[in-house]
Amino acid sequence: MVAVQNASLILTMRYTRTLPGDMYFSSTAVMITEVVKVVTTMLILLAEKRSIVEWIKYLYSVSVGHPWDMAKMLVPACIYTVQNNLLYLAVSNLDAATYQVSYQLKILTTALFSIAMLSKPINRVQWLSLFMLFVGVSVVQLQPVNGPVTQSSKEKLSTQNTLSKTHNPLLGLAAVVASSMCSGFAGVYFEKTLKGTATPLWARNFQLAIFGVIIGTMGMYINDGSKIKEKGIFFGYHKLVWLIIAMQTFGGLLVGIVVKYADNILKGFAAAVSIVVSCIVSVYLFQFNLSLPFVSGAGLVMLATYLYGIGQKLAVQKNATNGSK
Ligand code: C5P
């Protein structure tokens, strides 16, 4: 689900950034996504509480009622706002496939931040598996254009049309590297706060989204202030922009759920395995051709996942022997 959501999101984003005509301001899309997240999390909390009075009391308690607890979400909100803005910059300057491949760097940045901030022990076998995962997903994403996870022919055409005019691949790559750092840090910070404090997931998501709206609004005025004053927030919006906002909301909230029930490193594995599975399903649904790079990349992903599990078992055994000494 994560992979399908991600692949279609990137393709749609890339497509909308290469369309001729009035171009929407990406900073407004980042902010509006956070507004939609606030509304969605409020509705989920309402469904949980089943009483309007209880709901209002709860919303008050997790925001104004406990400002210091809420303030913990300020850091990830700032970083995610930067990340979400960088994502548009990257997608506007790189083709979808290059973007997807280089963004896999976040697998490694996430592991590094997990060690530094959560003191997660990662042994040699697990490091090896993380590198294999990184290489494997990159190779899978390098599928030729007939694959569903890379460029559609329409997308490729518009890429070619606009390539010389608008592309600055170096800027795009810098944006991806910075995004990967943001993704690793903010993801692990969110995990640490979620698992280290009593505030539940949906309250945290609500707090994060509220700050997201505030910081997103600041970002909007810093990036495109004068143009927005002249043309309005919703300038250039069409159905696909709303679709991107919906997909971003869904994807973001999904990240929170995965981090709660697993962790950020496993999120990377889940995404990688589902990329492979969605490609295999496409073989049957869309006559997707399995190429040699795909098969070897997919093999690497599977092997990496298996190795990571072995690494975890080794770590548990080592702990047990150390404990019994
Ligand atoms: O690529 P990555 O897994 O770092 O994606 C993070 C995305 O998920 C960001 O767009 C962020 O705004 C969103 N997110 C969210 N709610 C969370 C955690 C992340 O909306 N609890």
Side-chain angles (χ1 to χ4, degrees), residues 37 80 83-84 103 106 183 190 205 208 252-253 255-256 267:
K37 279 185 201 166
Y80 275 140
Q83 181 185 336
N84 292 337
Y103 199 26
K106 70 180 176 182
S183 168
F190 185 79
N205 281 341
L208 186 67
L253 299 178
V255 168
K267 171 166 79 74

Side-chain angles (χ1 to χ4, degrees), residues 128-183:
L128 179 69
S129 76
L130 284 169
F131 275 106
M132 281 170 67
L133 184 73
F134 172 61
V135 176
V137 185
S138 305
V139 174
V140 166
Q141 302 269 18
L142 279 175
Q143 271 293 290
V145 282
N146 58 349
V149 195
T150 55
Q151 290 172 298
S152 67
S153 47
K154 219 175 180 181
E155 141 86 356
K156 197 180 177 212
L157 205 71
S158 66
T159 304
Q160 283 165 350
N161 287 342
T162 52
L163 204 68
S164 49
K165 271 187 285 169
T166 56
H167 261 205
N168 182 348
L170 217 62
L171 180 68
L173 214 61
V176 171
V177 173
S179 288
S180 303
M181 302 292 288
C182 290
S183 168

Side-chain angles (χ1 to χ4, degrees), residues 6 33 67 79 86 99 127 152 174 206 208 215 259 269 280 309 323:
N6 203 35
T33 304
I79 310 263
L86 284 175
Y99 166 82
W127 269 119
S152 67
F206 171 68
L208 186 67
I215 299 157
V259 167
F269 279 95
I280 293 173

Side-chain angles (χ1 to χ4, degrees), residues 114-115 118-123 126-127 265 308 311-312 315 319:
S114 297
I115 297 172
L118 297 172
S119 318
K120 231 168 226 170
I122 296 187
N123 55 33
Q126 286 169 314
W127 269 119
I265 298 183
Y308 193 82
Q312 253 174 346
N319 277 347

Side-chain angles (χ1 to χ4, degrees), residues 8 21 25 64 87 91 125 134 152 162 166-167 209 234 294 298 304 311-312:
S8 30
F25 304 117
V64 194
L87 192 115
V91 160
V125 178
F134 172 61
S152 67
T162 52
T166 56
H167 261 205
F234 296 108
F294 176 82
Q312 253 174 346

Side-chain angles (χ1 to χ4, degrees), residues 1 17 29 47 70 153 171 192 220 225 234-235 255 263 269 279 301 316:
M1 202 146 78
R17 296 314 278 173
M70 183 180 182
S153 47
L171 180 68
K192 192 178 163 97
M220 216 169 76
F234 296 108
F235 173 78
V255 168
D263 64 28
F269 279 95
C279 284
V301 167
V316 171

